[in-house]
């Protein structure tokens, strides 16, 4: 006989409780101040922020925390991307500004590192972002910064971006959230929003109901699968990305490298992450050996030693896409029901600012970034 478990975290870091002994299933129904649907980087960061502001928060995660888009991400904090729409640029820059504070807090609260690397990015054949710190590099500068790069006489730019290891980041945010008192139920998919007289009252899963006057849908590519009984259904879709990681025999790269064909992200443990495809493939997370080989070959064109490096992992993830490629952030026609999804390729970068602005919105505070361009009305479906 199988036993399903729920994680109910306390100040000491959490305990495992059988689902049939969960307080929400025993005697009376237990009440929270807010329920966050989804335990990825966005959902966990928001849950932690709301809890630190004095709310009692429950995260309901369909699988394991951080095992979907966050687990598959590359971890580039790519706020210099030249083609970002102005509202998304403003959101990205604000998140980059508060990232040092965010990292410092979650590392202190969790006792875990996130491999935050601040060497910067070398971008090949990209448009000038026009941001402070971005500059064209001479061939000599390229050779000095990255001696193993080929095509040093091409058009290279330096961008003052950084990177984190998303898996380490999510592990740290999850633990920090638990230390702060956030409770988590894992292995349960939310099936529907519960409401009464136009007000959110909680969520329902196949195993039970959980009550709260505030519900935030942070379910990423799965956000549209939650029945709201209204038109407030997020128009998200899964966008597949295949990636791989190699481990060269000796260190070959310090900076993130971006070209139109491939990007390379060094980790402090010696791995190089290589990515990524953009595919409309539904919820298919299978990898294609031919695609992985093409990415590997493209990396070897930039740094020849990578062609000989052993592949240590290949994977695919599902980014939460939106109709216009921008996040869906805001309130809905159902009082107390909010959406924070559709972050596409920028969920790791935008986690701290999303947590802050959504908490401000829920609390009725002044927003540090305007959310009109991200309003749910533009990205919902009947």
């Amino acid at each position: 006989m199988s036993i399903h478990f729920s994680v109910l975290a306390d100040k000491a870091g959490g305990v495992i409780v059988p689902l049939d002994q969960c307080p929400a299933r025993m005697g009376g129904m237990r009440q929270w101040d807010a329920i966050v649907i989804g335990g990825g980087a966005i959902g966990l960061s928001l849950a932690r922020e709301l809890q630190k502001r004095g709310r009692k928060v429950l995260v309901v995660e369909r699988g394991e925390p951080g095992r979907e888009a966050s687990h598959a991400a590359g971890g580039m904090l790519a706020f210099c991307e030249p083609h970002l729409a102005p509202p998304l640029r403003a959101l990205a820059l604000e998140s980059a500004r508060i990232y040092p504070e965010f990292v410092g807090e979650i590392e202190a609260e969790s006792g875990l590192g996130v491999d935050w690397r601040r060497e910067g990015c070398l971008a090949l054949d990209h448009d000038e972002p026009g941001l402070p710190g971005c500059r064209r590099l001479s061939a000599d500068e390229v050779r000095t910064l990255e001696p193993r790069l080929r095509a040093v006489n091409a058009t290279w730019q330096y961008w003052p971006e950084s990177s984190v290891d998303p898996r380490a980041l999510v592990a740290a945010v999850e633990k920090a959230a638990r230390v702060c008192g956030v409770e988590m139920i894992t292995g349960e998919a939310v099936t529907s929003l519960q409401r009464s007289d136009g007000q959110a009252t909680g969520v329902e899963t196949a195993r039970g109901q959980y009550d709260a006057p505030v519900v935030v849908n942070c379910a990423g590519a799965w956000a549209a699968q939650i029945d709201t009984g209204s038109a407030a259904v997020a128009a998200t879709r899964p966008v597949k990305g295949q990636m791989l990681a190699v481990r060269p025999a000796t260190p070959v790269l310090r900076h993130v490298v971006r070209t139109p064909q491939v990007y390379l992200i060094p980790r402090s443990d010696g791995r190089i992450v290589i990515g990524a495809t953009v595919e409309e493939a539904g919820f298919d997370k299978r990898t294609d050996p031919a695609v992985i080989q093409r990415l590997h070959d493209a990396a070897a064109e930039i740094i020849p030693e990578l062609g000989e490096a052993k592949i240590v992992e290949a994977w695919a993830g599902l980014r939460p896409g939106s109709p216009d490629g921008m996040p869906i952030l805001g309130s809905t026609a159902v009082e107390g029901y909010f959406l924070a999804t559709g972050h596409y390729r920028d969920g790791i970068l935008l986690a701290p600012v999303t947590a802050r602005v959504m908490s401000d919105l829920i609390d009725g505070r002044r927003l540090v970034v305007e959310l009109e361009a991200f309003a749910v009305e533009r990205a919902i479906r009947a």
Side-chain angles (χ1 to χ4, degrees), residues 30-373:
R30 186 171 177 185
Q31 177 85 27
W32 286 268
D33 298 319
I35 292 173
V36 174
I37 307 171
I42 298 296
L44 291 171
S45 298
L46 175 58
R48 169 187 169 271
E49 181 72 20
L50 288 171
Q51 186 80 26
K52 288 172 70 73
R53 295 187 184 198
R55 294 177 185 261
K56 184 166 62 174
V57 181
L58 173 68
V59 173
V60 184
E61 163 56 40
R62 62 188 299 277
E64 298 177 44
R67 293 293 299 186
E68 292 295 347
S70 300
H71 187 79
M76 294 184 298
L77 306 184
F79 60 88
C80 292
E81 170 60 50
H83 304 298
L84 291 180
L88 185 54
R89 170 87 68 201
L91 195 69
L93 287 172
E94 176 62 17
S95 208
R97 185 187 72 80
I98 64 177
Y99 229 93
E101 175 187 353
F102 176 67
V103 168
E105 288 181 354
I106 63 172
E107 288 189 332
E109 292 166 10
S110 69
L112 302 174
V114 304
D115 194 19
W116 186 30
R117 297 174 57 92
R118 287 163 281 182
E119 286 81 359
C121 171
L122 273 58
L124 173 67
D125 292 336
H126 279 276
D127 294 337
E128 165 62 49
L131 295 174
C134 297
R135 59 189 178 88
R136 174 82 175 267
L137 295 172
S138 69
D140 286 342
E141 288 177 309
V142 175
R143 290 189 189 96
T144 299
L145 291 172
E146 292 293 351
R148 290 177 172 81
L149 281 182
R150 298 180 65 180
V152 294
N153 292 312
T155 304
W156 287 95
Q157 297 176 42
Y158 175 84
W159 295 350
E161 296 178 342
S162 57
S163 68
V164 296
D165 182 337
R167 299 175 187 181
L169 180 84
V170 174
V173 177
E174 179 190 358
K175 186 172 180 183
R178 294 188 184 195
V179 168
C180 292
V182 172
E183 299 180 34
M184 299 186 194
I185 292 173
T186 64
E188 284 195 49
V190 170
T191 55
S192 63
L193 172 74
Q194 299 299 295
R195 59 181 188 164
S196 176
D197 297 325
Q199 162 72 51
T201 59
V203 301
E204 186 169 348
T205 75
R207 300 181 192 141
Q209 182 177 322
Y210 305 94
D211 288 354
V214 171
V215 176
V216 191
N217 185 342
C218 301
W222 288 265
Q225 295 185 351
I226 296 166
D227 179 12
T228 63
S230 73
V233 178
T236 55
R237 71 188 191 284
V239 182
K240 182 178 178 178
Q242 298 187 54
M243 304 175 65
L244 69 149
V246 300
R247 190 182 299 276
T250 59
V252 297
L253 189 66
R254 288 178 44 234
H255 301 76
V256 171
V257 171
R258 297 177 61 179
T259 80
Q261 292 75 37
V262 72
Y263 58 72
L264 314 175
I265 309 170
R267 300 280 194 243
S268 296
D269 64 3
R271 290 174 299 140
I272 306 291
V273 173
I274 302 169
T277 64
V278 177
E279 307 171 49
E280 299 288 346
F283 287 91
D284 177 11
K285 294 199 297 181
R286 293 173 296 179
T287 57
D288 181 336
V291 171
I292 297 300
Q293 188 59 55
R294 285 200 296 272
L295 289 170
H296 197 183
D297 292 344
E301 287 293 317
I302 304 300
I303 298 179
E305 290 91 337
L306 294 181
E308 304 300 319
K310 178 182 178 181
I311 297 178
V312 295
E313 185 182 1
W315 66 94
L318 303 176
R319 312 174 184 95
S322 70
D324 58 8
M326 296 203 301
I328 305 168
L329 305 172
S331 58
T332 73
V334 178
E335 185 179 352
Y337 181 54
F338 300 83
L339 299 179
T341 186
H343 290 76
Y344 192 37
R345 305 181 76 166
D346 298 312
I348 299 299
L349 167 62
L350 297 177
V353 74
T354 299
R356 186 165 295 185
V357 297
M358 290 302 298
S359 295
D360 287 343
L361 181 65
I362 292 166
D363 288 344
R365 299 185 186 182
R366 179 178 175 274
L367 303 182
V368 295
V369 178
E370 289 298 326
L371 295 182
E372 288 180 328

